[in-house]
Amino acid sequence: MRVRVLGTAAGGGVPQWNCACPGCSGARAHPGWRRRHASLAVQADEGRWYLVNATPDLGDQIEDCPELHPGPEPRRTPLAGVILTDAELDHTLGIARLREADAIEIVATDPVRHALLTGLHLGEVLTPYARLDWRPLGPGDRPLVEGSPLAVGAVPVSAKRPRYAAGRGAPDDDAWVVALRLTDRATGRSLLYAPALAAWPDTFQRAAEAADCVIVDGTFWSDDEPLTSGFGSRTATAMGHLPIEGPDGTAHRLAALEARTLYTHLNNTNPLNDPAAPQHSGLRKLGVEVAADGMVIDL
């Protein structure tokens, strides 16, 4: 299994266009600090790749990933489709960037599909340009491409729906936000990807224990970070993101796993955006990494 990390930032990216916090100012002064919106590209078969989430940075992310470049025919592309972990704008706005295709394959849970069709009216907007081919995403592992060894399954983690879907008809369901389990059936090795994690249910713990690589939500370092940064009125957990540090944080949970573990989806206020921040050494002692844009993971 080959996975490319296309981005590792939370909503707004690093730097965020309207923000002059230390993280964003540092990223403007030091381009190496910059992070694009969190996304992966995963190889389903020879010459066929899927995006995990379609971000506003999708165009630049594709250009920076040679495996996703079109050719040799003028309009032949290795990009086969998009797998969604949720319906948040930061993970779905990039779908519109794919409208030049004849068809767009979207793998999503039922609540996510409902939100995109009734909240964002994605079908009405895009079908005049490209056909939308929806494929269900559920707990059972299914091959991404017929004959491919790579299978995908969903691990429900949260009923948190995006703001634009509040009050709409779809019921509360933990499938609103899922972790993705990507399994190479030829080798048995697997990767678990959870860029948004509001809780750590037993089902997620079992999936993490079974995985060879776990990439999880590192949006906020501490639970009170949104408050102390001056940009929020709720804690990290109230916003649907478990913090990294603290008794309810995820660092000690990751350290206890035998898998390779990494953080992604960093908010611009997270001190980990500074490569010299002391928080990095603490994570290294635990054996936990911070994912970087452009990183390649082979399993």
Side-chain angles (χ1 to χ4, degrees), residues 160-181:
K160 179 179 178 287
R161 63 180 72 196
R163 295 183 201 176
Y164 69 81
R168 295 193 175 272
D172 289 338
D173 187 328
D174 280 350
W176 272 101
V177 181
V178 301
L180 292 183
R181 180 178 55 248

Side-chain angles (χ1 to χ4, degrees), residues 41-82:
V42 57
Q43 187 176 23
D45 210 344
E46 186 66 31
R48 297 195 74 179
W49 291 72
Y50 279 77
L51 298 178
V52 176
N53 294 330
T55 80
D57 298 321
L58 180 144
D60 291 333
Q61 288 171 331
I62 289 175
E63 288 306 308
D64 284 350
C65 182
E67 292 93 337
L68 298 181
H69 289 179
E73 291 83 0
R75 287 298 179 95
R76 181 180 179 182
T77 173
L79 183 55
V82 178

Side-chain angles (χ1 to χ4, degrees), residues 4-298:
R4 276 195 172 269
V5 179
L6 300 181
T8 54
V14 181
Q16 182 175 304
W17 68 276
N18 65 340
C19 185
C21 73
C24 290
S25 297
R28 291 189 180 97
H30 307 284
W33 293 22
R34 292 173 178 256
R35 295 176 182 269
R36 290 175 175 150
H37 288 88
S39 177
L40 302 178
V42 57
Q43 187 176 23
D45 210 344
E46 186 66 31
R48 297 195 74 179
W49 291 72
Y50 279 77
L51 298 178
V52 176
N53 294 330
T55 80
D57 298 321
L58 180 144
D60 291 333
Q61 288 171 331
I62 289 175
E63 288 306 308
D64 284 350
C65 182
E67 292 93 337
L68 298 181
H69 289 179
E73 291 83 0
R75 287 298 179 95
R76 181 180 179 182
T77 173
L79 183 55
V82 178
I83 313 167
L84 299 177
T85 61
D86 53 62
E88 295 290 347
L89 292 179
D90 300 316
H91 294 161
T92 58
L93 286 177
I95 295 174
R97 295 290 307 273
L98 302 176
R99 66 186 181 276
E100 291 87 1
D102 294 328
I104 305 170
E105 182 179 326
I106 305 173
V107 184
T109 64
D110 288 342
V112 169
R113 176 181 177 178
H114 177 84
L116 295 179
L117 291 178
T118 65
L120 292 186
H121 301 280
L122 197 65
E124 297 173 35
V125 171
L126 287 185
T127 50
Y129 303 91
R131 187 179 74 250
L132 300 184
D133 293 336
W134 296 91
R135 286 180 55 189
L137 177 63
D141 291 346
R142 295 186 177 185
L144 275 174
V145 177
E146 185 176 354
S148 167
L150 189 67
V152 61
V155 181
V157 293
S158 172
K160 179 179 178 287
R161 63 180 72 196
R163 295 183 201 176
Y164 69 81
R168 295 193 175 272
D172 289 338
D173 187 328
D174 280 350
W176 272 101
V177 181
V178 301
L180 292 183
R181 180 178 55 248
L182 298 164
T183 303
D184 187 329
R185 296 178 298 168
T187 64
R189 296 176 68 79
S190 65
L191 180 146
L192 187 67
Y193 183 67
L197 201 57
W200 194 290
D202 290 342
T203 52
F204 184 80
Q205 176 66 24
R206 290 193 292 271
E209 291 173 349
D212 297 284
C213 182
V214 179
I215 306 176
V216 303
D217 183 349
T219 305
F220 298 110
W221 177 261
S222 62
D223 197 34
D224 64 353
E225 182 181 317
L227 305 174
T228 58
S229 68
F231 297 112
S233 59
R234 296 179 294 164
T235 62
T237 49
M239 294 176 66
H241 300 283
L242 290 178
I244 294 174
E245 73 159 359
D248 296 324
T250 56
H252 69 284
R253 295 179 183 268
L254 293 183
L257 298 175
E258 295 183 5
R260 181 184 181 184
T261 55
L262 306 96
Y263 280 114
T264 189
H265 204 267
L266 273 62
N267 195 60
N268 53 6
T269 57
N270 193 320
L272 292 174
N273 286 303
D274 181 351
Q279 287 84 351
H280 284 281
S281 61
L283 289 182
R284 282 194 294 268
K285 291 177 182 178
L286 295 175
V288 180
E289 303 173 56
V290 178
D293 292 22
M295 178 182 286
V296 179
I297 298 174
D298 288 315

